[in-house]
Amino acid sequence: MNFTRTLFPLSMLLLSGCVVGPDYQKPETALPAKFSESKSASADNVTLNPWWESFRDKRLNDLVHQGMGENLTVLQALQRIEAAEANVIVAGAGALPSLGASASGNVSGQDGSYLRRTTGSDHSQSKSINAGLSASWLIDFFGQYRRQKEAANASLDAAYDDVNVARLAYFSDLVSSYVNARYYQEALALNRKNLVSRRETLKLTNEIKEAGAASSLDVLQSEGLVNQTLANLPALETGFHQAANHIATLLGVPASTITSSLLKGSAQPMPRYATRTGIPADLIRNRPDIRAAERRLQAATAAIGVAEADLYPSIELGGSIGAARNFNARVGSLSSWSFGPSLSLPIFNGGALKAQVKIARSEAEQQYLTWKSTVLNAVEEVENAQTALIRDYQTVAAQRKVVDTFDQTLVLARESYRGGASTILDVLDAERNVADARLSLAAAIRQLARDYVSLNVAIGGGSAIGTPAVVATK
């Protein structure tokens, strides 16, 4: 008998340390040693790098910091953290004992006279009070609640990473919109400059016509180029206002406040520093979407253990204490109590429990494939952005030379036209070439800035700036 009393608690202790289901292992996938157009050197932690400061644009820096705590998408992701924290508490509560209390009172009676009540009437009344206290504890023999808490903590970590994903999307959208706004302003300025130049050509053509050396056709051709330039302005103005309106939406402020501040104008943003991309393996550490996918894989792995725990018996320890008092009975009070374990054993359920385990394993495998796909897509994004950025610098440098060449060509064409050695068509062609070259340069600068944004976002740059501290109950 003493042997049994000793063996039973020990066996209970051993069982309570058992956790079914696979333990989480960090996923792996084959990655290249380096990106195709960079050195094989690991980069520092870029998640706290404010890469937009490389543009050296104070207005842009102010907008980024202004919107960091106002962007609605980021705020929504922050709210999901609170829900995930609550889920951790819910998951852990199942493994703890529960205690409940109840109380009730009752008064009943019979009266022979409803309208008149006298001491001699047929009248009786009964009063009673009941109170109870109950407790229960489901012993977590197979780690069901521990796996649930593990899954909840992993989901909480994923919620924090989702905030960083939203913040990266905000940085990308805001800075790209600012780049677009400044491009449209530059394009407007260039078209207005071209308009001045073409009006000068029109004036020159009219003067030469009055001197008898030009025809009405020359004047009409010059006038057509002026009108064509005027026709380009409204679309560019629309593009600027739309970019400014989108910035206002990202910041949650009235559009007029952003538009008025941007109308002062500024040079097109150009990055002043190169971006260190590191190696593909760095992305697993720096990209928040990869980290979030891994945390969801961990949660799905823990869910396998939760499903497997349902295949095994469960024991619940329960007890209750009750008290009742009837003021009209001969025995005024009565108390009762009970305590003991209850066993639940799954015997036949049509294979539903085993099917749940298969479903959990399939979902974990899907999460692994999602994680792997996220990693490979991240590598591709970095490769594409880096390749584009390298060639953007080459394009901008070449386009600057094109602008210089056509500027000189235009000067020579006007001098030749004044001297009668060439026609107005030569001047108009030269003006057209200059205008197109300047606009192409502005477009190339915009593309360079946008690809710089894409590259820094692709490596996870700045994603942890402003991230709240993780306070999860492990």
Side-chain angles (χ1 to χ4, degrees):
M1 185 67 178
N2 292 333
F3 175 76
T4 304
R5 290 179 179 177
T6 304
L7 180 61
F8 180 71
L10 287 176
S11 62
M12 296 282 283
L13 181 63
L14 290 173
L15 283 172
S16 64
C18 176
V19 180
V20 298
D23 292 329
Y24 176 69
Q25 301 291 331
K26 280 188 170 295
E28 295 181 355
T29 187
L31 290 174
K34 70 181 191 68
F35 294 109
S36 60
E37 298 193 74
S38 63
K39 299 179 180 178
S40 57
S42 179
D44 297 330
N45 182 6
V46 300
T47 60
L48 295 175
N49 176 34
W51 47 265
W52 52 88
E53 294 180 359
S54 173
F55 290 111
R56 293 186 180 180
D57 191 314
K58 186 177 182 301
R59 182 60 182 141
L60 173 59
N61 295 341
D62 291 341
L63 290 174
V64 171
H65 290 290
Q66 178 184 348
M68 201 172 293
E70 301 294 334
N71 182 255
L72 296 179
T73 304
V74 175
L75 293 177
Q76 290 172 8
L78 286 170
Q79 284 299 316
R80 287 192 285 271
I81 288 180
E82 294 193 15
E85 288 175 340
N87 282 332
V88 173
I89 298 174
V90 172
L96 300 175
S98 63
L99 183 67
S102 63
S104 64
N106 184 48
V107 178
S108 63
Q110 294 180 343
D111 196 334
S113 173
Y114 179 77
L115 298 176
R116 293 180 302 170
R117 298 184 180 183
T118 63
T119 56
S121 64
D122 181 16
H123 176 76
S124 63
Q125 191 177 71
S126 175
K127 298 179 180 179
S128 64
I129 296 177
N130 299 282
L133 187 66
S134 63
S136 64
W137 180 25
L138 183 63
I139 302 176
D140 193 13
F141 282 161
F142 301 99
Q144 179 180 23
Y145 291 113
R146 276 168 285 179
R147 290 302 192 193
Q148 285 182 350
K149 191 172 182 180
E150 179 185 348
N153 274 310
S155 297
L156 175 59
D157 291 340
Y160 276 95
D161 287 322
D162 285 341
V163 173
N164 295 341
V165 172
R167 187 174 284 107
L168 266 186
Y170 155 71
F171 289 150
S172 176
D173 202 358
L174 177 64
V175 178
S176 295
S177 297
Y178 184 83
V179 168
N180 287 340
R182 292 308 189 194
Y183 160 74
Y184 284 117
Q185 282 185 309
E186 179 69 13
L188 279 167
L190 289 174
N191 271 273
R192 286 167 181 150
K193 185 177 180 179
N194 293 337
L195 183 61
V196 172
S197 175
R198 287 169 178 177
R199 280 173 171 167
E200 289 179 356
T201 301
L202 176 60
K203 180 182 177 182
L204 174 63
T205 305
N206 280 319
E207 291 174 353
I208 295 177
K209 179 188 175 185
E210 290 175 0
S215 66
S216 298
L217 179 60
D218 294 337
V219 174
L220 288 175
Q221 288 176 327
S222 298
E223 188 175 351
L225 208 54
V226 170
N227 292 330
Q228 180 183 354
T229 307
L230 287 171
N232 292 336
L233 297 179
L236 296 173
E237 291 174 347
T238 299
F240 166 74
H241 282 280
Q242 288 177 344
N245 292 343
H246 189 58
I247 292 173
T249 299
L250 293 174
L251 271 58
V253 298
S256 57
T257 61
I258 298 298
T259 302
S260 60
S261 66
L262 293 179
L263 281 174
K264 299 176 183 178
S266 179
Q268 280 188 271
M270 274 279 292
R272 300 296 190 271
Y273 311 113
T275 300
R276 290 186 59 190
T277 56
I279 59 177
D282 292 336
L283 298 177
I284 296 176
R285 179 184 71 246
N286 293 329
R287 286 267 300 222
D289 56 338
I290 295 177
R291 296 198 306 269
E294 184 183 344
R295 296 281 71 78
R296 291 190 172 93
L297 171 59
Q298 183 178 5
T301 303
I304 298 174
V306 175
E308 287 189 1
D310 288 334
L311 297 174
Y312 299 96
S314 62
I315 294 180
E316 182 176 4
L317 299 179
S320 64
I321 300 174
R325 180 175 178 82
N326 191 324
F327 293 94
N328 298 86
R330 292 183 179 181
V331 180
S333 62
L334 177 66
S335 61
S336 62
W337 61 272
S338 66
F339 174 78
S342 62
L343 175 66
S344 176
L345 178 63
I347 297 176
F348 179 75
N349 48 64
L353 296 181
K354 290 184 178 181
Q356 288 297 329
V357 175
K358 289 183 179 180
I359 292 172
R361 290 186 178 276
S362 174
E363 290 177 347
E365 182 63 24
Q366 293 175 47
Q367 287 297 334
Y368 166 72
L369 296 175
T370 298
W371 173 84
K372 186 175 181 179
S373 175
T374 305
V375 172
L376 295 178
N377 287 336
V379 174
E380 180 185 358
E381 289 174 5
V382 174
E383 291 277 19
N384 291 342
Q386 185 180 39
T387 297
L389 186 60
I390 291 172
R391 285 150 185 81
D392 288 338
Y393 280 108
Q394 297 171 357
T395 300
V396 169
Q399 197 62 42
R400 290 188 192 279
K401 294 179 180 179
V402 171
V403 171
D404 291 340
T405 300
F406 283 135
D407 278 340
Q408 297 175 23
T409 302
L410 177 59
V411 172
L412 294 176
R414 282 178 175 169
E415 291 177 354
S416 178
Y417 182 55
R418 285 191 182 96
S422 62
T423 66
I424 189 61
L425 290 178
D426 297 324
V427 177
L428 296 181
D429 286 341
E431 283 189 338
R432 219 178 269 113
N433 290 336
V434 169
D436 291 343
R438 287 173 177 169
L439 288 173
S440 295
L441 175 60
I445 293 174
R446 174 174 72 161
Q447 190 60 48
L448 186 152
R450 288 171 63 92
D451 286 333
Y452 178 81
V453 172
S454 298
L455 179 58
N456 281 277
V457 170
I459 63 175
S463 60
I465 294 178
T467 301
V470 179
V471 187
T473 304
K474 299 296 183 182

Short mmCIF file of all heavy atoms in Angstrom, two decimals, residues 10 38 54 56 72 86 118-119 380 412:
data_model
loop_
_atom_site.label_atom_id
_atom_site.label_comp_id
_atom_site.label_asym_id
_atom_site.label_seq_id
_atom_site.Cartn_x
_atom_site.Cartn_y
_atom_site.Cartn_z
N LEU A 10 4.79 9.83 -8.21
CA LEU A 10 5.94 9.89 -9.10
C LEU A 10 5.53 9.74 -10.55
O LEU A 10 6.05 10.43 -11.44
CB LEU A 10 6.95 8.80 -8.72
CG LEU A 10 7.74 9.03 -7.42
CD1 LEU A 10 8.62 7.83 -7.13
CD2 LEU A 10 8.59 10.29 -7.53
N SER A 38 27.54 42.04 -55.81
CA SER A 38 28.11 42.63 -54.60
C SER A 38 29.12 41.68 -54.00
O SER A 38 29.21 40.51 -54.38
CB SER A 38 27.00 42.94 -53.58
OG SER A 38 26.35 41.75 -53.18
N SER A 54 19.98 59.64 -46.36
CA SER A 54 21.01 59.73 -47.40
C SER A 54 20.64 60.75 -48.47
O SER A 54 21.52 61.24 -49.18
CB SER A 54 21.22 58.35 -48.03
OG SER A 54 22.07 58.42 -49.13
N ARG A 56 19.61 63.66 -47.86
CA ARG A 56 19.93 64.97 -47.31
C ARG A 56 18.84 65.99 -47.63
O ARG A 56 19.11 67.12 -48.07
CB ARG A 56 21.28 65.45 -47.84
CG ARG A 56 22.46 64.63 -47.34
CD ARG A 56 23.77 65.23 -47.78
NE ARG A 56 24.91 64.44 -47.31
CZ ARG A 56 26.17 64.74 -47.56
NH1 ARG A 56 26.47 65.81 -48.27
NH2 ARG A 56 27.14 63.98 -47.09
N LEU A 72 -1.93 54.97 -40.53
CA LEU A 72 -3.04 54.12 -40.07
C LEU A 72 -2.71 52.64 -40.20
O LEU A 72 -3.12 51.83 -39.36
CB LEU A 72 -4.31 54.46 -40.86
CG LEU A 72 -4.85 55.87 -40.66
CD1 LEU A 72 -6.10 56.08 -41.51
CD2 LEU A 72 -5.17 56.13 -39.19
N ALA A 86 -3.10 39.32 -25.52
CA ALA A 86 -4.23 38.73 -24.80
C ALA A 86 -4.35 37.24 -25.08
O ALA A 86 -4.70 36.45 -24.19
CB ALA A 86 -5.52 39.45 -25.18
N THR A 118 -54.19 39.70 6.54
CA THR A 118 -54.38 39.88 7.99
C THR A 118 -53.65 38.76 8.68
O THR A 118 -53.27 37.76 8.09
CB THR A 118 -55.87 39.83 8.37
OG1 THR A 118 -56.38 38.55 8.04
CG2 THR A 118 -56.66 40.90 7.61
N THR A 119 -53.46 38.91 9.97
CA THR A 119 -52.75 37.89 10.73
C THR A 119 -53.51 36.60 10.79
O THR A 119 -52.93 35.53 10.96
CB THR A 119 -52.50 38.40 12.17
OG1 THR A 119 -53.76 38.76 12.75
CG2 THR A 119 -51.60 39.63 12.15
N GLU A 380 15.39 37.69 -54.52
CA GLU A 380 15.12 38.21 -55.87
C GLU A 380 14.91 39.72 -55.84
O GLU A 380 15.41 40.44 -56.71
CB GLU A 380 13.89 37.52 -56.47
CG GLU A 380 13.56 38.02 -57.87
CD GLU A 380 12.28 37.43 -58.41
OE1 GLU A 380 11.65 36.62 -57.71
OE2 GLU A 380 11.89 37.81 -59.53
N LEU A 412 24.26 76.66 -81.14
CA LEU A 412 24.80 76.73 -82.50
C LEU A 412 23.70 76.83 -83.55
O LEU A 412 23.84 77.55 -84.56
CB LEU A 412 25.67 75.50 -82.76
CG LEU A 412 26.95 75.39 -81.93
CD1 LEU A 412 27.66 74.07 -82.21
CD2 LEU A 412 27.88 76.57 -82.23
#
